[in-house]
């Protein structure tokens, strides 16, 4: 697997000391970490892991910078240039300590803070990494414990897309949602207002399902079945005011290979949040076609194409309707 390489502008590592139900403290480094091959490999791995994780939260900075100072810290560093990277990271760690203190179940670890560029966006990445004990074989062919960074189980991470922030985008912060308690304190640390507009998120979900069907090159009948399953499940969730889980919808809608659908819905380009209640108005396109032209409107079910009640001729670019209702037939004859 080839890792996409990111340009690392600055990187530093600090430590957050915290046991569940205990107080938090920090151990700070006072200089940036040189960018070696090991550092580059670690950052590229973390970025790929972050990009592949579904169900992230998305949002923007809170307006209240007294209680949520991250926006002020970033502005002082990026816009005003009154704060260097090390100073920025120290202020961030002080605020992270405050937020971790407020969450009893939060636990500590190494906090990697990096400013990275992927040729599209200038981003600030924050990842909390813990250690794990594995096994290694020595030169003498003995098995010993080996302590390493547990990159496979990163649960606390966030990213600020500073390029999008500077151009006034609607959303430019993302974070791993993980467990609710951890996600909440880290969201507060980032100063992220992740108010989710259910209608927009549902529309993006519908777009993601169509993108998946296109990428898989599904036959029309299989595509219709996919969309009908998605519509039925989402309509049920919407009726019961139950939130969407991207993992669950992938299992429900594409049970033969749910990881494929999950990868599409969790893709970074879609920026689809998890945990919103589906807007039932926005899922209608899954099972119905609807279009307006200057002089007509039309709406019909997908199943009409399979049954032959509606036929589209690509060569002549015409739409033929069968089984015209008597009322419409009489009106047309009278005209």
């Amino acid at each position: 697997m080839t890792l996409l390489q990111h340009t690392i502008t600055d990187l530093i590592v600090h430590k957050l000391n915290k046991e569940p139900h205990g107080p938090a403290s920090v151990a700070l480094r006072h200089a940036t970490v040189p960018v070696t091959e090991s550092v580059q490999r670690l950052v590229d791995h973390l970025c790929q892991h972050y990009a592949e994780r579904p169900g992230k939260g998305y949002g923007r900075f809170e307006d209240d910078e007294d209680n949520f100072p991250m926006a002020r810290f970033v502005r002082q560093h990026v816009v005003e240039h009154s704060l260097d990277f090390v100073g920025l990271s120290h202020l961030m760690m002080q605020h992270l300590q405050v937020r971790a203190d407020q969450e009893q179940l939060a636990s500590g670890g190494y906090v990697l803070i990096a400013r990275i560029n992927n040729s599209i966006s200038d981003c600030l990445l924050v990842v909390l990494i813990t250690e794990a004990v594995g096994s290694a074989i020595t030169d003498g062919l003995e098995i010993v414990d080996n302590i390493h960074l547990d990159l496979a189980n990163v649960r606390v991470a966030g990213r600020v897309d500073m390029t999008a922030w500077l151009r006034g985008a609607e959303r430019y912060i993302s974070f791993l949602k993980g467990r609710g308690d951890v996600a909440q304190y880290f969201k507060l640390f980032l100063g992220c207002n992740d108010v989710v507009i259910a209608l927009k998120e549902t529309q993006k979900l519908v777009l993601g399902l169509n993108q998946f069907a296109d990428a898989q090159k599904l036959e029309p009948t299989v595509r219709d079945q996919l969309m009908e399953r998605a519509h039925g499940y989402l309509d049920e969730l919407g009726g019961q005011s139950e939130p969407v889980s991207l993992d669950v919808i992938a299992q429900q809608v594409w049970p033969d290979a749910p990881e494929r659908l999950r990868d599409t819905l969790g893709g970074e380009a879609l920026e689809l949040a998890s945990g919103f209640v589906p807007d039932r108005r926005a899922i209608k396109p899954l099972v119905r076609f609807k279009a307006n032209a200057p002089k007509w409107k039309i709406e019909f079910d997908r199943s009409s194409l399979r049954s032959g009640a509606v036929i589209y001729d690509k060569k002549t670019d015409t739409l033929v309707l069968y089984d015209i209702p008597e009322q419409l037939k009489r009106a047309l004859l009278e005209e």
Side-chain angles (χ1 to χ4, degrees):
M1 179 176 59
T2 302
L3 295 178
L4 177 65
Q5 190 170 81
H6 297 75
T7 301
I8 304 171
T9 306
D10 291 292
L11 182 142
I12 198 166
V13 177
H14 303 298
K15 190 171 185 181
L16 173 67
N17 301 303
K18 174 78 164 63
E19 294 293 335
H21 305 289
S25 63
V26 295
L28 301 178
R29 180 183 169 95
H30 295 281
T32 57
V33 176
V35 181
T36 63
E37 288 185 9
S38 296
V39 169
Q40 184 70 60
R41 188 163 48 248
L42 172 62
V43 169
D44 291 340
H45 185 99
L46 287 171
C47 287
Q48 177 162 319
H49 176 76
Y50 187 83
E52 292 175 347
R53 283 283 293 272
K56 289 187 282 286
Y58 295 92
R60 56 187 296 114
F61 284 132
E62 293 276 7
D63 293 331
D64 180 2
E65 294 186 6
D66 291 331
N67 290 308
F68 304 96
M70 186 66 77
R72 183 169 66 243
F73 298 160
V74 174
R75 185 169 57 253
Q76 290 172 343
H77 176 61
V78 177
V79 180
E80 300 171 1
H81 304 292
S82 59
L83 191 63
D84 64 13
F85 183 78
V86 174
L88 166 69
S89 73
H90 286 184
L91 290 178
M92 290 172 62
M93 287 301 297
Q94 291 170 13
H95 188 55
L96 179 61
Q97 178 184 349
V98 171
R99 292 301 185 184
D101 254 333
Q102 295 170 346
E103 176 46 61
Q104 289 294 312
L105 296 180
S107 55
Y110 296 101
V111 182
L112 181 147
I113 302 174
R115 185 170 178 178
I116 57 176
N117 192 297
N118 62 2
S119 78
I120 299 175
S121 299
D122 183 17
C123 298
L124 187 66
L125 177 70
V126 187
V127 184
L128 192 149
I129 312 171
T130 56
E131 291 180 326
V133 178
S135 298
I137 298 178
T138 67
D139 292 338
L141 304 182
E142 295 178 345
I143 298 175
V144 297
D145 287 342
N146 178 40
I147 298 176
H148 62 275
L149 295 177
D150 190 6
L151 302 183
N153 293 303
V154 171
R155 294 185 298 109
V156 180
R159 190 177 65 191
V160 180
D161 184 335
M162 296 181 292
T163 302
W165 169 60
L166 289 172
R167 71 166 180 261
E170 182 181 23
R171 302 196 305 184
Y172 41 82
I173 303 175
S174 62
F175 61 96
L176 299 184
K177 301 198 78 170
R179 296 202 320 268
D181 47 9
V182 174
Q184 181 67 14
Y185 101 82
F186 199 72
K187 182 189 79 169
L188 295 175
F189 155 69
L190 292 172
C192 179
N193 182 329
D194 65 336
V195 174
V196 174
I197 301 174
L199 177 60
K200 287 187 177 181
E201 295 304 315
T202 308
Q203 290 170 338
K204 286 194 290 185
L205 176 54
V206 171
L207 174 62
L209 289 166
N210 279 288
Q211 289 176 345
F212 174 76
D214 290 341
Q216 298 296 311
K217 299 180 179 179
L218 301 182
E219 294 293 329
T221 301
V222 179
R223 185 185 186 115
D224 287 350
Q225 292 170 351
L226 165 71
M227 298 304 177
E228 287 171 2
R229 284 196 299 271
H231 181 273
Y233 179 65
L234 294 170
D235 189 58
E236 181 180 349
L237 289 181
Q240 297 175 357
S241 296
E242 291 289 335
V244 167
S245 163
L246 300 188
D247 285 330
V248 175
I249 193 172
Q251 290 282 353
Q252 293 283 338
V253 173
W254 200 245
D256 292 340
E259 66 282 353
R260 294 183 194 170
L261 179 55
R262 186 172 60 244
D263 289 346
T264 298
L265 297 181
E268 294 241 287
L270 200 59
E271 289 192 345
L272 178 62
S274 186
F276 63 93
V277 175
D279 189 307
R280 299 169 85 182
R281 295 170 297 173
I283 62 175
K284 289 181 180 179
L286 291 172
V287 292
R288 296 182 73 80
F289 290 102
K290 183 178 181 179
N292 298 329
K295 295 183 179 179
W296 55 261
K297 295 181 181 180
I298 191 169
E299 183 175 356
F300 56 90
D301 291 344
R302 285 180 176 271
S303 59
S304 301
L305 293 171
R306 291 205 306 272
S307 68
V310 178
I311 295 177
Y312 175 61
D313 189 326
K314 290 189 292 185
K315 293 181 180 179
T316 60
D317 196 25
T318 57
L319 200 65
V320 181
L321 308 180
Y322 291 90
D323 300 328
I324 303 297
E326 286 297 326
Q327 183 179 1
L328 176 58
K329 188 186 301 183
R330 288 196 301 271
L332 292 172
L333 290 172
E334 290 173 3
E335 184 66 21

